[in-house]
Each structure stands twice: as C-alpha cells, then as structure tokens.
Amino acid sequence: MYHIHLRRPRAGPHRAPLGSESTLILRTLIAALALGAALFHLYAAGIEPFTAYVQRPVHLALMAVLGFLGLGTLRILQRQAAPKTADDGPSSTSGRAAATPTVNALLIVATLVSCCYMIVVHQELVRRAGAATTLDLIAGALALIVTLELARRTAGWGLVAVALLAISYVFLGPHLPGLLAHRGYGLQRLIEHLYLTTEGIWGVPLGVSADFIYLFVLFGAVLDVAGGGRLLTGLSAKIAGSTRGGPAKTAAVASALMGSISGSAVANVVTTGSLTIPVMKRSGFKPYFAGAIEAAASTGGQLMPPIMGAGAFILATWTNIPYLKVALAAAIPALLYYVALFMAIHFQAHKLKLPAGQTHDARETWTRLHLLLPIAVIVLLLVLGRSPMRAAFWGVVTAAAVTLSRKETRLGIKQISDTLVGAASGTVQVAAACAAAGIVVGVVSLTGIGLRMSEFIITLSGGHLPVALVLTALGSIVLGMGIPPAAAYIVLAALGAPALTELGVPLLAAHLFIFYFGCLSNVTPPVALAAYAASGVAGAPPMKTAFTAVTLASAGFLVPFMFVYGPPLLLQASAPSVIGAAATATVGVIALAGATVGYVRRPLTLWQRALLFLAAIALVRPGLLTDAVGFGIVAITLFSQSRGAQGERENRDN
C-alpha cells in the first residue's frame, strides 16, 4: 500500500521553507478528499450506483486532484523505494523539478472543470446526439491535458509517450504506408471521440478503476491496518519458516498472499520487502539475491487472484468473461509461478548450505485468524454470483467490523485518516493509467488500427502460432516497461490479442498471455521498477538485482506458453485432464528452477543445466510424446547426479 510522506523541503535561494501551517492545511485537504472518495465509492457500490458519465468523471476528479496535491506520484513513490540519505529533499528524489503550486492549482481547476462539465451536460449530449459545441471541445481539451499530466506524474513518460504516439497517429494516418494508413481525423473529431463518448477517457479501463479497483484497494488498506499483513506473514512463516532458506521462502509466500490483495509489485516490495529483505540478508543471502527474491515474489502478486493488479477486473470486463471464471482460471498458472520461485529459493539455499530457519511462534498468528473472515466474505459472495463491486463493498464493511472486535485493532481518528489516504494513494496511479490507456483504446477504435495490427502480426509470423506468441510476448514486455501492467494490458488487448485469437488461441488464454508478459516487465531490464525498488531496500546494485530477478521469475516467461498450448491449466477441460496437466507443468517449472539456479541435489554441470532447460521446454506442450521426452530428460539428469554423488563418495573413501 502506498502512503504519502510530506517532508519539509530544504530552504534555498529560490524556495521558501514550507510552514507548518501550510503543511497542516495540505494534510487536512488530502484527508478530506480521501474521506470523500471512500464515501462516494461505498455509496455507489452498496446503496445506489451511478451512471458511467457520473461515476467515472467523479472518480477521475477525486484521484486527479489528490495526484496534483502530491499523493501517489512518482516523487513520493521513489522516496519510499530509495534508501534514506541525508540529502532527502524533493530535488534529490526524481531528477525533475517539482511543479509549482500555481501549476498544480491550475491543473486542479482544469480537472474540476472538465469532469464536472461532463457530469452536468451528459444528459444533454444524448438529446443533441453528441453534436459538439465550443464548450464541449474546451472541456475535452482540458480533460486530455489533465489525463496526460497526471499519467506523467504517476506512471512516468512511458505511458504518456504511448498516448502521444497514438494521438499523432490520428493526424498522420493519410501519410503513412501500407497497413498503417487510414483516412485521418482532425482535432475536433479526436476530442469528440475521446471525451464525449465512452470509447476514450471515460471508457472501460477507467470504469474498472472506478467500480472495482478503489474498493479492493480500500479493502486491503483496512485489512492491513487491522493486522492482516502480519497474519499473512505469520502464516507464511508457519508454512516455510523452519526450512532451509526459510526467511526467503517466507518472503515468497507472504508476497503472494499480500499481492493477491494489493495487486501492486512496487507497493508489495516496499511493504513486505522492508521486513523480509533484511531477514534474508541476515540468513546468508547476498543483498542482490535477497532483493531479487522480493522483486520476483512481488511481481508474482500481480498474477495471483483475486485482484491481479486490477487485471482480473479489466480482463473480465473487456472479454465479457465472468470475473469468477477469470480468477479461477488464473489460479493454477499463478501457483506454478510460485512453485518455481519457491524451488529456486530452495535450491539456492542448499547450494549455499544455509542453515534451517527458526521455528515461528504461532500464538500471535492464531489469535489473528479472524482477519480471514473478510476475505471469506468476498469469496463467498463471488461464488454466489454477486458482482465484484458488491462483494468488495461487503468486504470493506466486514473488514471495518473486524477491526472493532479487538481493542488493539480499533482505529483512532489518525489511523482512519491514514487508512483512507493510503487507499486513495494506491488508486491514483491506477486511475491515471486507466484514463491514459483509454486514450490509446479510443484511438484504436477511431482509426481501426487494431485490425491492421492483428493482420501485421499474422503476416510477420507467417501464420505460425509460436512465432506470433514470441512477437506478442516481446511487444508486451517492451510496452510494459515503465507502464503500469493494467495500462499495458489494455493497449495490448486492443492491438495484440485479436491476432492470437485469429490464430486459434482461446480468448481467455490470449488475454492472460499478454497480461503475464506485461506484468513481468516489472523485473525486466532496463526498466524493472520492482527490482529497482527492491535494490534500494536491499542496498544492492540495481541492474544485478534486476537480472537475478529475471532468472528467478523465469517460470513466468514459460507458464503463459504452457496454458496457451494446454487449456486444462486454465480449467478448460475435465478434472483428470486438469490434474494431469498441472502435474506435468509442475515438473516442468521445477526443472526450469533447477536449470536457472544450477543445483538440484548437488551442483549441476553445464550440460545438466541444458538438459533440464530442454525438459522444461518439452513439457510446455501437453502430449504423450513431449511429456515422455520431458520426463525422460529429467530422469537422465537426476540419474547422472546420483552417479556423480556416488563417484564422489567412492573417491573420498579411497
């Protein structure tokens, strides 16, 4: 969960010290807006929903104003991820000058004007059939400026560059060659499409943020304040804490559990990593390896149901596949990812001959088991067919009630304020990313580039699915670098998924495939945000941490190919087929973990590592022949290891 820390800037020749009175006013304003956001979303979810032209503009207005006040921006997030230094002023955190209060005030006014204007005139738009007036165009232009600037502050230049490239494509269409050419549109037509319809800024991505994401982030914030994070960490330690490499295994399990609620890799690193990384270092892991473990584990949290970094909600809404089906289908691939990570940690711990971890005192964990009740309520309501919006509402209500059950978890005014501010902070970036991604999606629908891009991928791959999958994976990783996974998924869902479905990939598998690779960009250099955050906590070289995290997360690059070629992994087959596919895939990811670490029962030679890697590749595609080849290679490798160990014992005896 993100939290804001308002520090007093250093005095300088061009900057007056920030007085305590102005700081107090800013804190109070942010807390009031955070309270308003909570009341608005809870009312819409639990009492009376609003139309899209009300819910989405109000949501964006609240998040944008908070963002322009400094909540959830890169400057604040980088402060959290970076190691503390004596020179901790604003100019030392991001390398870019902070916006002046005047600029922020103008942006806030522009936000309120553009969002409130839509709320006021949306019914009139229906009566005049969407015909734009001068005021419509002015408000639309302000909305575009606000969206792009908010995205720049919260997600960086990567997403803004993609959005600007999309806008440029609208104007340059007649001058482009081949498949990229289109008739071209003017500025007025662009603003009409992006602002006056639900095809652009107010589209499905922002709708998901307004309807689902804020509520689940609020749920996670309330549960964490009640001690849910400590409960999940305690359960993780109970599962793996006493084994060799126990602290690292605890970190992996805790990040999986925390990520299933928070859904943010960087937030996961900052929260759980601040606790787990120092313990891993003390247990014998190198700082870069400890940071890499946390980065890989936190990235996997975005792949773990039920939230999946907002991916489950967006994917379900985009594809019209029921949310519960999406969450269930994503379960086995996510577990495979963590099995591989867990085994990589296990092999590395044995390779380093680390001691076994300490036994965890379970008394505190057992006293917090009642905190699982809100999670159970959400799961039960989803199983009963309630909407995610309504399930999240009752989850928040139950979590709030649970905090009252024990004296030590009852919240005071300051804790309530911190919780609401934390929830809003965790949503600002997502809302900004969804609104900016809506611009790209609007351009796709306006110009028809989605169909042309599908044709381009199919042509470039020669109609061969393996090549198309590799091209789509590379595109997802590149696009996801520096862009929130939810935004990267939205863009690729419009551009890349249609090509895969046209080549015969099932709809759900195609969308999960691009979502996986977008998430993995969090550990993929050169823009590996989760790895860099972990390196800051661990005090390790960023690039070395990132490359190590890639090797630990290598199963994430293999699992998507597994479920594309093996639909049973997405529960799209009979129970025996699902069990068989899961067992085969488990062997494959364990073989991959051994190959990347270079250890199974003893150190692996180079040719043994190559054999295990080939076994993992063979087990990607289900089938008797490929399974037999994969299992055979694993058996040969293990047998050669046993012979090698026996030879070493005989040499020692002689």
Side-chain angles (χ1 to χ4, degrees):
M1 193 61 58
Y2 302 144
H3 302 280
I4 183 169
H5 300 282
L6 298 173
R7 294 188 178 93
R8 184 190 300 264
R10 295 172 297 162
H14 304 292
R15 187 192 300 273
L18 181 64
S20 59
E21 183 178 348
S22 58
T23 302
L24 179 61
I25 292 173
L26 181 57
R27 289 180 183 273
T28 304
L29 180 58
I30 288 175
L33 288 170
L35 174 62
L39 293 176
F40 170 77
H41 289 90
L42 288 171
Y43 180 88
I47 299 176
E48 184 177 355
F50 297 98
T51 65
Y53 282 116
V54 174
Q55 176 91 358
R56 297 170 190 180
V58 172
H59 175 73
L60 181 61
L62 287 166
M63 296 302 114
V65 171
L66 286 167
F68 293 133
L69 290 175
L71 198 68
T73 61
L74 285 178
R75 183 166 58 92
I76 298 297
L77 298 181
Q78 288 171 353
R79 278 182 179 175
Q80 294 175 318
K84 301 292 187 296
T85 63
D87 183 16
D88 199 25
S91 62
S92 66
T93 56
S94 64
R96 60 171 70 91
T100 65
T102 302
V103 171
N104 290 335
L106 290 174
L107 287 168
I108 289 172
V109 171
T111 298
L112 296 176
V113 168
S114 59
C115 292
C116 292
Y117 183 84
M118 175 54 66
I119 296 170
V120 172
V121 305
H122 73 275
Q123 291 182 335
E124 182 186 341
L125 284 173
V126 176
R127 288 194 296 270
R128 51 187 166 92
T133 65
T134 301
L135 287 178
D136 292 343
L137 298 177
I138 293 173
L142 291 176
L144 283 174
I145 293 170
V146 164
T147 298
L148 292 173
E149 174 59 13
L150 184 65
R152 184 191 71 82
R153 294 192 185 191
T154 59
W157 277 105
L159 180 55
V160 175
V162 173
L164 291 176
L165 183 63
I167 291 173
S168 301
Y169 178 70
V170 172
F171 306 130
L172 298 175
H175 309 290
L176 296 175
L179 293 174
L180 296 177
H182 63 87
R183 54 177 287 189
Y185 300 90
L187 181 61
Q188 178 176 336
R189 182 71 180 93
L190 175 67
I191 293 177
E192 289 176 354
H193 190 74
L194 296 182
Y195 180 72
L196 299 179
T197 73
T198 55
E199 296 291 327
I201 294 174
W202 316 120
V204 169
L206 187 63
V208 173
S209 178
D211 295 343
F212 309 139
I213 295 172
Y214 173 84
L215 290 168
F216 274 91
V217 174
L218 177 61
F219 167 75
V222 175
L223 194 63
D224 187 54
V225 169
R230 291 190 293 274
L231 169 65
L232 297 179
T233 302
L235 290 174
S236 305
K238 184 65 178 174
I239 294 171
S242 60
T243 63
R244 180 170 289 186
K249 295 174 182 176
T250 297
V253 178
S255 293
L257 297 175
M258 287 291 291
S260 68
I261 298 175
S262 71
S264 169
V266 176
N268 219 343
V269 167
V270 172
T271 52
T272 61
S274 61
L275 299 174
T276 59
I277 289 176
V279 178
M280 284 190 276
K281 289 166 63 177
R282 288 196 297 269
S283 69
F285 287 100
K286 298 287 187 182
Y288 74 89
F289 202 89
I293 290 172
E294 183 58 46
S298 295
T299 296
Q302 296 177 113
L303 310 173
M304 178 67 72
I307 295 180
M308 298 167 58
F313 307 121
I314 298 175
L315 199 156
T317 306
W318 191 280
T319 60
N320 288 322
I321 298 174
Y323 164 81
L324 185 59
K325 184 176 180 180
V326 172
L328 290 175
I332 292 179
L335 290 174
L336 289 172
Y337 177 91
Y338 277 105
V339 165
L341 178 59
F342 195 90
M343 293 307 298
I345 295 170
H346 179 77
F347 293 147
Q348 182 70 15
H350 279 269
K351 183 178 181 180
L352 298 176
K353 298 180 180 179
L354 300 181
Q358 297 179 351
T359 303
H360 176 69
D361 184 1
R363 286 177 295 179
E364 183 180 0
T365 300
W366 301 138
T367 60
R368 297 181 183 274
L369 283 179
H370 64 289
L371 297 177
L372 295 176
L373 178 62
I375 300 175
V377 168
I378 289 180
V379 173
L380 177 62
L381 290 175
L382 291 173
V383 170
L384 293 177
R386 302 297 188 270
S387 70
M389 191 175 184
R390 185 54 61 91
F393 170 80
W394 286 111
V396 172
V397 171
T398 307
V402 162
T403 65
L404 301 175
S405 63
R406 299 180 64 198
K407 182 178 180 180
E408 56 267 29
T409 59
R410 291 172 192 163
L411 307 183
I413 298 298
K414 185 179 184 304
Q415 289 176 305
I416 293 174
S417 175
D418 290 344
T419 301
L420 296 178
V421 170
S425 179
T427 313
V428 167
Q429 186 189 49
V430 177
C434 287
I439 294 175
V440 179
V441 173
V443 169
V444 170
S445 64
L446 178 64
T447 62
I449 183 61
L451 296 176
R452 296 186 185 91
M453 188 59 65
S454 297
E455 185 179 347
F456 175 75
I457 292 175
I458 293 172
T459 301
L460 192 62
S461 65
H464 299 295
L465 180 57
V467 180
L469 288 173
V470 171
L471 291 174
T472 306
L474 291 174
S476 300
I477 292 174
V478 172
L479 185 62
M481 290 180 179
I483 297 179
Y489 162 72
I490 293 165
V491 175
L492 265 298
L495 296 177
L500 297 183
T501 55
E502 192 170 336
L503 290 173
V505 179
L507 181 65
L508 179 56
H511 282 261
L512 277 177
F513 183 90
I514 61 176
F515 179 74
Y516 254 69
F517 283 101
C519 289
L520 289 170
S521 63
N522 273 290
V523 294
T524 308
V527 187
L529 298 183
Y532 296 160
S535 70
V537 178
M543 291 304 294
K544 189 172 185 178
T545 303
F547 281 111
T548 306
V550 168
T551 62
L552 292 174
S554 56
F557 298 91
L558 183 66
V559 167
F561 289 90
M562 285 182 165
F563 62 64
V564 164
Y565 285 105
L569 292 179
L570 300 181
L571 304 183
Q572 297 178 346
S574 62
S577 298
V578 170
I579 294 172
T584 301
T586 300
V587 175
V589 296
I590 293 175
L592 183 62
T596 55
V597 173
Y599 189 98
V600 178
R601 290 192 288 188
R602 58 193 300 271
L604 294 168
T605 62
L606 184 60
W607 69 268
Q608 289 172 334
R609 296 178 71 168
L611 281 180
L612 284 183
F613 182 77
L614 289 176
I617 298 299
L619 293 170
V620 166
R621 185 165 192 146
L624 291 178
L625 179 60
T626 53
D627 289 350
V629 171
F631 282 117
I633 294 175
V634 170
I636 291 171
T637 306
L638 294 178
F639 178 73
S640 66
Q641 280 225 306
S642 299
R643 290 294 301 271
Q646 182 180 355
E648 287 183 358
R649 286 195 298 269
E650 291 175 354
N651 290 334
R652 285 197 301 267
D653 293 340
N654 294 332

